[in-house]
Amino acid sequence: MTQEEWKDVFGDNLASIIKEKDMTQLRLARDSGVSTAMISEYINKRSVPGLFAAINMAYALDMSIDELVNFDEPIE
């Protein structure tokens, strides 16, 4: 999977998880310490999180990091 493909997959995955958990971007930002601007960047497929942001979002979403970022392929 290319980095661009990962942006698409991660953005869609994050948006789905937020919706499933009936959470807002603002609440995720507050609970994770990741800015609302960055969460918007991830959802709109313009950026992907670094390790610390991904870990903090996974904790805030009450899931493991691999549930948040598991795509079954390495990123090229």
Coordinates of all heavy atoms in Angstrom, one line a residue:
M1 N 0.8 -1.2 0.0 CA 0.0 0.0 0.0 C 0.9 1.2 0.0 O 1.9 1.3 0.7 CB -0.9 0.0 1.3 CG -1.7 1.2 1.5 SD -2.7 1.2 3.0 CE -3.6 -0.4 2.8
T2 N 0.6 2.2 -0.8 CA 1.4 3.4 -0.9 C 0.9 4.3 0.2 O -0.1 4.1 0.9 CB 1.2 4.1 -2.2 OG1 -0.2 4.6 -2.3 CG2 1.5 3.3 -3.4
Q3 N 1.7 5.4 0.5 CA 1.4 6.3 1.5 C 0.1 7.1 1.2 O -0.7 7.4 2.1 CB 2.5 7.3 1.7 CG 3.7 6.7 2.4 CD 4.9 7.7 2.6 OE1 4.7 8.9 2.5 NE2 6.0 7.1 3.0
E4 N -0.1 7.3 -0.1 CA -1.4 8.0 -0.5 C -2.6 7.1 -0.3 O -3.6 7.6 0.2 CB -1.3 8.4 -2.0 CG -0.4 9.6 -2.2 CD -0.7 10.8 -1.4 OE1 -1.9 11.2 -1.4 OE2 0.2 11.4 -0.8
E5 N -2.4 5.8 -0.6 CA -3.5 4.9 -0.3 C -3.8 4.8 1.2 O -4.9 4.7 1.6 CB -3.2 3.5 -0.9 CG -3.2 3.4 -2.4 CD -2.6 2.1 -2.9 OE1 -1.7 1.6 -2.3 OE2 -3.1 1.7 -4.0
W6 N -2.7 4.8 2.0 CA -2.9 4.8 3.4 C -3.6 6.0 4.0 O -4.5 5.9 4.8 CB -1.5 4.7 4.1 CG -1.7 4.3 5.6 CD1 -2.2 3.2 6.1 CD2 -1.2 5.1 6.7 NE1 -2.2 3.2 7.5 CE2 -1.6 4.4 7.9 CE3 -0.6 6.3 6.8 CZ2 -1.3 4.8 9.1 CZ3 -0.3 6.8 8.1 CH2 -0.6 6.0 9.2
K7 N -3.4 7.2 3.4 CA -4.2 8.4 3.8 C -5.6 8.1 3.6 O -6.5 8.5 4.4 CB -3.7 9.6 3.0 CG -2.4 10.2 3.4 CD -2.2 11.4 2.5 CE -0.8 12.0 2.7 NZ -0.6 13.1 1.8
D8 N -6.0 7.6 2.4 CA -7.4 7.3 2.1 C -8.0 6.3 3.1 O -9.1 6.5 3.6 CB -7.5 6.8 0.7 CG -7.3 7.8 -0.4 OD1 -7.3 9.0 -0.1 OD2 -7.0 7.5 -1.5
V9 N -7.3 5.2 3.3 CA -7.8 4.1 4.1 C -7.9 4.6 5.6 O -9.0 4.4 6.2 CB -7.0 2.9 4.1 CG1 -7.4 1.8 5.1 CG2 -7.0 2.3 2.6
F10 N -6.9 5.3 6.1 CA -6.9 5.8 7.4 C -8.0 6.8 7.6 O -8.7 6.8 8.6 CB -5.6 6.3 7.9 CG -5.6 6.7 9.3 CD1 -5.4 5.8 10.3 CD2 -5.8 8.0 9.7 CE1 -5.4 6.1 11.7 CE2 -5.9 8.4 11.0 CZ -5.7 7.4 12.0
G11 N -8.1 7.7 6.7 CA -9.2 8.8 6.8 C -10.6 8.2 6.9 O -11.4 8.6 7.7
D12 N -10.8 7.2 6.0 CA -12.2 6.6 6.0 C -12.4 5.8 7.3 O -13.5 5.8 7.9 CB -12.3 5.6 4.8 CG -12.4 6.4 3.5 OD1 -12.7 7.6 3.5 OD2 -12.2 5.7 2.5
N13 N -11.3 5.1 7.7 CA -11.4 4.3 9.0 C -11.7 5.2 10.2 O -12.6 4.9 11.0 CB -10.1 3.5 9.1 CG -10.2 2.4 10.2 OD1 -11.2 1.7 10.3 ND2 -9.2 2.2 11.0
L14 N -11.0 6.2 10.3 CA -11.1 7.1 11.4 C -12.5 7.8 11.4 O -13.2 7.8 12.5 CB -10.1 8.2 11.4 CG -10.1 9.2 12.6 CD1 -10.0 8.5 14.0 CD2 -9.0 10.3 12.5
A15 N -13.0 8.2 10.3 CA -14.3 8.8 10.2 C -15.4 7.8 10.6 O -16.3 8.1 11.3 CB -14.6 9.3 8.8
S16 N -15.3 6.5 10.2 CA -16.2 5.5 10.5 C -16.2 5.2 12.0 O -17.3 5.0 12.6 CB -15.9 4.2 9.8 OG -16.2 4.3 8.4
I17 N -15.0 5.1 12.6 CA -14.9 4.8 14.0 C -15.5 6.0 14.8 O -16.3 5.7 15.8 CB -13.4 4.6 14.4 CG1 -12.9 3.3 13.8 CG2 -13.3 4.6 15.9 CD1 -11.4 3.2 13.9
I18 N -15.3 7.2 14.5 CA -15.8 8.3 15.2 C -17.4 8.3 15.1 O -18.0 8.5 16.2 CB -15.3 9.7 14.6 CG1 -13.8 9.8 15.0 CG2 -16.1 10.8 15.1 CD1 -13.2 11.0 14.3
K19 N -17.9 8.0 14.0 CA -19.3 7.9 13.8 C -19.9 6.7 14.6 O -20.9 6.9 15.3 CB -19.7 7.7 12.3 CG -21.1 7.7 12.0 CD -21.4 7.6 10.6 CE -22.9 7.7 10.3 NZ -23.2 7.6 8.9
E20 N -19.3 5.5 14.5 CA -19.7 4.4 15.3 C -19.7 4.6 16.8 O -20.6 4.1 17.5 CB -18.8 3.2 15.0 CG -19.0 2.5 13.7 CD -17.9 1.5 13.4 OE1 -17.2 1.0 14.3 OE2 -17.8 1.1 12.2
K21 N -18.8 5.4 17.3 CA -18.7 5.6 18.7 C -19.5 6.9 19.1 O -19.4 7.3 20.3 CB -17.2 5.8 19.1 CG -16.4 4.6 18.8 CD -15.4 4.3 19.9 CE -14.7 3.0 19.6 NZ -14.9 2.0 20.7
D22 N -20.2 7.4 18.2 CA -21.1 8.6 18.4 C -20.3 9.7 19.1 O -20.6 10.3 20.1 CB -22.3 8.2 19.3 CG -23.4 9.3 19.2 OD1 -23.5 10.0 18.2 OD2 -24.1 9.4 20.2
M23 N -19.1 10.0 18.5 CA -18.1 10.9 19.0 C -18.0 12.1 18.0 O -18.2 11.9 16.8 CB -16.8 10.2 19.3 CG -15.7 11.1 19.9 SD -14.2 10.1 20.2 CE -14.5 9.5 21.8
T24 N -17.6 13.2 18.5 CA -17.3 14.3 17.6 C -15.8 14.5 17.5 O -15.1 14.0 18.3 CB -17.9 15.7 18.1 OG1 -17.2 16.0 19.4 CG2 -19.4 15.6 18.4
Q25 N -15.4 15.2 16.4 CA -14.0 15.5 16.3 C -13.5 16.3 17.4 O -12.4 16.1 17.9 CB -13.8 16.2 14.9 CG -14.0 15.4 13.7 CD -13.7 16.2 12.4 OE1 -12.8 17.0 12.4 NE2 -14.5 15.9 11.4
L26 N -14.3 17.2 17.9 CA -13.9 18.1 19.1 C -13.7 17.2 20.3 O -12.7 17.4 21.0 CB -15.0 19.1 19.3 CG -14.7 20.0 20.5 CD1 -13.4 20.8 20.3 CD2 -15.9 21.0 20.7
R27 N -14.6 16.2 20.6 CA -14.4 15.4 21.7 C -13.1 14.5 21.6 O -12.3 14.3 22.5 CB -15.6 14.5 21.9 CG -15.4 13.6 23.2 CD -16.7 13.0 23.6 NE -16.3 11.8 24.4 CZ -16.9 10.7 24.4 NH1 -17.9 10.4 23.6 NH2 -16.5 9.7 25.2
L28 N -12.9 14.0 20.4 CA -11.7 13.2 20.1 C -10.5 14.0 20.4 O -9.5 13.6 21.0 CB -11.7 12.6 18.7 CG -10.5 11.8 18.4 CD1 -10.2 10.6 19.3 CD2 -10.6 11.2 16.9
A29 N -10.5 15.3 19.9 CA -9.4 16.2 20.1 C -9.1 16.4 21.5 O -8.0 16.3 22.0 CB -9.6 17.5 19.3
R30 N -10.2 16.7 22.3 CA -10.0 17.0 23.7 C -9.5 15.7 24.4 O -8.6 15.9 25.3 CB -11.4 17.4 24.3 CG -11.3 17.9 25.7 CD -12.7 18.4 26.2 NE -13.7 17.4 26.0 CZ -14.8 17.6 25.3 NH1 -15.0 18.7 24.7 NH2 -15.7 16.7 25.2
D31 N -10.0 14.6 24.1 CA -9.7 13.3 24.8 C -8.3 12.8 24.5 O -7.7 12.1 25.2 CB -10.7 12.2 24.6 CG -12.1 12.6 25.2 OD1 -12.2 13.6 26.0 OD2 -13.0 11.8 25.0
S32 N -7.8 13.1 23.3 CA -6.6 12.6 22.8 C -5.4 13.6 22.8 O -4.3 13.2 22.8 CB -6.7 12.1 21.3 OG -6.9 13.2 20.4
G33 N -5.7 14.9 22.9 CA -4.7 15.9 22.9 C -4.2 16.2 21.5 O -3.2 16.9 21.3
V34 N -4.9 15.6 20.5 CA -4.6 15.9 19.1 C -5.5 17.1 18.7 O -6.7 17.0 19.0 CB -4.8 14.7 18.2 CG1 -4.6 15.0 16.7 CG2 -3.9 13.5 18.6
S35 N -5.0 18.1 18.0 CA -5.9 19.2 17.6 C -7.0 18.8 16.7 O -6.9 17.9 15.9 CB -5.0 20.3 17.0 OG -4.6 20.0 15.7
T36 N -8.1 19.6 16.8 CA -9.2 19.4 15.9 C -8.7 19.6 14.4 O -9.2 18.9 13.5 CB -10.4 20.3 16.2 OG1 -10.0 21.6 16.2 CG2 -11.0 19.9 17.5
A37 N -7.8 20.5 14.2 CA -7.3 20.8 12.8 C -6.6 19.5 12.3 O -6.8 19.2 11.1 CB -6.4 22.0 12.8
M38 N -5.8 18.8 13.1 CA -5.1 17.6 12.7 C -6.1 16.5 12.4 O -6.0 15.8 11.5 CB -4.0 17.2 13.6 CG -2.8 18.1 13.6 SD -2.2 18.4 11.9 CE -1.8 16.8 11.3
I39 N -7.1 16.3 13.3 CA -8.1 15.3 13.1 C -8.8 15.5 11.8 O -9.1 14.6 11.0 CB -9.0 15.2 14.3 CG1 -8.2 14.6 15.5 CG2 -10.2 14.3 14.0 CD1 -8.9 14.7 16.8
S40 N -9.1 16.8 11.5 CA -9.8 17.1 10.2 C -8.9 16.7 9.1 O -9.3 16.2 8.0 CB -10.1 18.6 10.2 OG -10.7 18.9 9.0
E41 N -7.6 17.0 9.2 CA -6.6 16.7 8.2 C -6.6 15.2 7.9 O -6.5 14.7 6.8 CB -5.2 17.1 8.6 CG -5.0 18.6 8.6 CD -4.8 19.2 7.2 OE1 -4.0 18.7 6.4 OE2 -5.6 20.1 6.8
Y42 N -6.7 14.4 9.0 CA -6.7 12.9 8.8 C -8.0 12.4 8.1 O -7.9 11.7 7.2 CB -6.6 12.2 10.2 CG -5.4 12.6 11.0 CD1 -5.5 12.6 12.4 CD2 -4.2 13.0 10.5 CE1 -4.5 13.0 13.2 CE2 -3.1 13.3 11.3 CZ -3.3 13.3 12.7 OH -2.2 13.7 13.5
I43 N -9.1 12.9 8.6 CA -10.4 12.5 8.0 C -10.5 13.0 6.6 O -11.1 12.2 5.7 CB -11.5 13.1 8.9 CG1 -11.6 12.3 10.2 CG2 -12.9 12.9 8.2 CD1 -12.5 12.9 11.2
N44 N -10.0 14.1 6.2 CA -10.1 14.6 4.9 C -8.9 14.1 4.0 O -8.7 14.6 2.9 CB -10.1 16.2 4.9 CG -11.5 16.6 5.4 OD1 -12.5 16.2 4.9 ND2 -11.5 17.4 6.5
K45 N -8.1 13.2 4.5 CA -7.1 12.5 3.7 C -6.0 13.3 3.2 O -5.4 13.1 2.2 CB -7.8 11.7 2.6 CG -8.9 10.8 3.1 CD -9.7 10.2 1.9 CE -10.9 9.5 2.4 NZ -11.7 8.9 1.4
R46 N -5.7 14.4 4.0 CA -4.5 15.2 3.7 C -3.3 14.9 4.5 O -2.2 15.4 4.1 CB -4.9 16.7 3.9 CG -6.0 17.2 2.9 CD -6.2 18.6 2.9 NE -6.9 19.0 4.1 CZ -8.2 19.3 4.2 NH1 -9.0 19.1 3.2 NH2 -8.8 19.6 5.3
S47 N -3.4 14.1 5.5 CA -2.3 13.8 6.4 C -2.6 12.5 7.1 O -3.7 12.0 7.2 CB -2.1 14.9 7.4 OG -0.9 14.7 8.2
V48 N -1.5 11.9 7.7 CA -1.7 10.7 8.5 C -1.0 11.0 9.8 O 0.0 11.8 9.9 CB -1.1 9.4 7.9 CG1 -1.9 9.0 6.7 CG2 0.4 9.6 7.5
P49 N -1.4 10.4 10.9 CA -0.9 10.7 12.2 C 0.5 10.0 12.4 O 0.8 9.0 11.8 CB -1.9 10.1 13.2 CG -2.5 9.0 12.4 CD -2.5 9.4 11.0
G50 N 1.3 10.7 13.2 CA 2.5 10.1 13.7 C 2.1 9.1 14.8 O 1.0 8.9 15.2
L51 N 3.1 8.4 15.3 CA 2.9 7.3 16.3 C 2.2 7.8 17.5 O 1.3 7.2 18.0 CB 4.3 6.6 16.6 CG 4.2 5.5 17.6 CD1 3.3 4.4 17.1 CD2 5.6 5.0 17.9
F52 N 2.7 8.9 18.1 CA 2.2 9.4 19.4 C 0.7 9.8 19.2 O -0.1 9.5 20.0 CB 3.0 10.5 19.9 CG 4.4 10.1 20.3 CD1 5.5 10.6 19.7 CD2 4.5 9.1 21.3 CE1 6.8 10.2 20.1 CE2 5.8 8.7 21.7 CZ 6.9 9.3 21.1
A53 N 0.4 10.5 18.1 CA -1.0 10.9 17.8 C -1.9 9.7 17.7 O -3.0 9.7 18.2 CB -1.1 11.8 16.6
A54 N -1.4 8.7 16.9 CA -2.2 7.5 16.7 C -2.5 6.8 18.0 O -3.6 6.3 18.3 CB -1.5 6.6 15.7
I55 N -1.4 6.7 18.9 CA -1.6 6.0 20.2 C -2.6 6.8 21.0 O -3.5 6.2 21.6 CB -0.3 5.9 20.9 CG1 0.6 4.9 20.2 CG2 -0.4 5.5 22.4 CD1 2.1 4.9 20.6
N56 N -2.5 8.1 21.1 CA -3.4 8.9 21.9 C -4.8 8.8 21.4 O -5.8 8.7 22.2 CB -2.9 10.3 22.0 CG -1.7 10.5 22.9 OD1 -1.4 9.6 23.7 ND2 -1.0 11.5 22.7
M57 N -5.0 8.8 20.1 CA -6.4 8.7 19.5 C -6.9 7.3 19.8 O -8.1 7.2 20.1 CB -6.4 8.9 18.0 CG -6.2 10.4 17.7 SD -6.5 10.8 15.9 CE -5.2 9.8 15.1
A58 N -6.1 6.2 19.7 CA -6.6 4.9 20.0 C -7.1 4.8 21.4 O -8.2 4.3 21.7 CB -5.5 3.9 19.7
Y59 N -6.3 5.3 22.4 CA -6.7 5.4 23.8 C -8.1 6.1 23.9 O -9.0 5.7 24.6 CB -5.7 6.0 24.7 CG -4.6 5.0 25.1 CD1 -3.3 5.1 24.6 CD2 -4.9 3.9 26.0 CE1 -2.4 4.2 25.0 CE2 -4.0 3.0 26.4 CZ -2.7 3.1 25.9 OH -1.7 2.2 26.3
A60 N -8.1 7.3 23.3 CA -9.3 8.1 23.4 C -10.6 7.4 22.8 O -11.7 7.6 23.3 CB -9.1 9.5 22.8
L61 N -10.3 6.6 21.8 CA -11.4 5.8 21.1 C -11.7 4.5 21.8 O -12.5 3.7 21.4 CB -11.1 5.6 19.7 CG -11.1 6.9 18.8 CD1 -10.4 6.7 17.5 CD2 -12.5 7.4 18.6
D62 N -10.9 4.2 22.9 CA -11.1 3.0 23.6 C -10.9 1.7 22.7 O -11.7 0.8 22.7 CB -12.4 2.9 24.3 CG -12.5 1.8 25.4 OD1 -11.4 1.5 26.0 OD2 -13.6 1.2 25.6
M63 N -9.8 1.8 22.0 CA -9.4 0.6 21.1 C -7.9 0.5 21.1 O -7.2 1.4 21.5 CB -10.0 0.8 19.7 CG -9.5 2.1 19.0 SD -10.2 2.4 17.4 CE -11.6 1.5 17.3
S64 N -7.5 -0.6 20.6 CA -6.0 -0.8 20.4 C -5.5 -0.1 19.2 O -6.3 0.2 18.3 CB -5.7 -2.3 20.3 OG -6.2 -2.8 19.1
I65 N -4.2 0.2 19.2 CA -3.6 0.9 18.1 C -3.8 0.1 16.8 O -4.1 0.7 15.7 CB -2.2 1.3 18.4 CG1 -1.6 2.1 17.2 CG2 -1.3 0.0 18.5 CD1 -1.8 3.5 17.4
D66 N -3.7 -1.2 16.9 CA -3.8 -2.0 15.6 C -5.2 -2.0 15.1 O -5.4 -2.1 13.9 CB -3.3 -3.4 15.8 CG -3.9 -4.2 16.9 OD1 -4.3 -3.6 17.9 OD2 -4.1 -5.4 16.7
E67 N -6.3 -1.8 15.9 CA -7.6 -1.7 15.4 C -7.8 -0.4 14.7 O -8.5 -0.3 13.7 CB -8.6 -1.7 16.6 CG -8.8 -3.0 17.3 CD -9.7 -2.9 18.5 OE1 -9.3 -2.2 19.5 OE2 -10.7 -3.6 18.5
L68 N -7.1 0.7 15.1 CA -7.1 2.0 14.4 C -6.4 2.0 13.1 O -6.8 2.6 12.2 CB -6.6 3.0 15.4 CG -6.7 4.5 14.9 CD1 -8.1 4.9 14.6 CD2 -6.0 5.4 15.9
V69 N -5.2 1.3 13.1 CA -4.4 1.4 11.9 C -4.1 0.1 11.1 O -3.3 0.1 10.2 CB -3.0 2.1 12.2 CG1 -3.2 3.5 12.7 CG2 -2.2 1.2 13.2
N70 N -4.8 -1.0 11.4 CA -4.5 -2.3 10.8 C -5.1 -2.3 9.4 O -6.3 -2.4 9.2 CB -5.1 -3.4 11.7 CG -4.8 -4.8 11.1 OD1 -4.0 -4.9 10.2 ND2 -5.4 -5.8 11.7
F71 N -4.2 -2.4 8.4 CA -4.7 -2.5 7.0 C -4.2 -3.7 6.3 O -4.3 -3.9 5.1 CB -4.2 -1.2 6.3 CG -4.7 0.0 6.9 CD1 -3.8 1.0 7.3 CD2 -6.0 0.2 7.2 CE1 -4.2 2.2 7.9 CE2 -6.5 1.4 7.8 CZ -5.6 2.3 8.2
D72 N -3.6 -4.6 7.1 CA -3.1 -5.9 6.5 C -2.1 -5.9 5.5 O -1.8 -6.8 4.8 CB -4.3 -6.8 6.0 CG -5.3 -7.0 7.1 OD1 -4.9 -7.3 8.3 OD2 -6.5 -7.0 6.8
E73 N -1.4 -4.7 5.3 CA -0.4 -4.6 4.3 C 0.7 -3.6 4.8 O 0.3 -2.6 5.5 CB -0.9 -3.9 3.0 CG -1.8 -4.7 2.2 CD -2.2 -3.9 0.9 OE1 -1.3 -3.4 0.3 OE2 -3.4 -3.9 0.6
P74 N 1.9 -3.8 4.5 CA 2.9 -2.8 4.9 C 2.7 -1.5 4.0 O 2.2 -1.6 2.9 CB 4.2 -3.4 4.6 CG 3.9 -4.5 3.6 CD 2.5 -4.9 3.9
I75 N 3.2 -0.4 4.5 CA 3.2 0.9 3.7 C 4.5 1.1 3.0 O 5.5 1.0 3.7 CB 2.8 2.0 4.7 CG1 1.5 1.8 5.3 CG2 2.8 3.4 3.9 CD1 1.2 2.7 6.5
E76 N 4.4 1.3 1.8 CA 5.6 1.5 1.0 C 6.2 2.9 1.1 O 5.6 3.8 1.3 CB 5.3 1.3 -0.5 CG 4.8 -0.1 -0.8 CD 4.3 -0.3 -2.2 OE1 4.4 0.7 -3.0 OE2 3.9 -1.4 -2.5

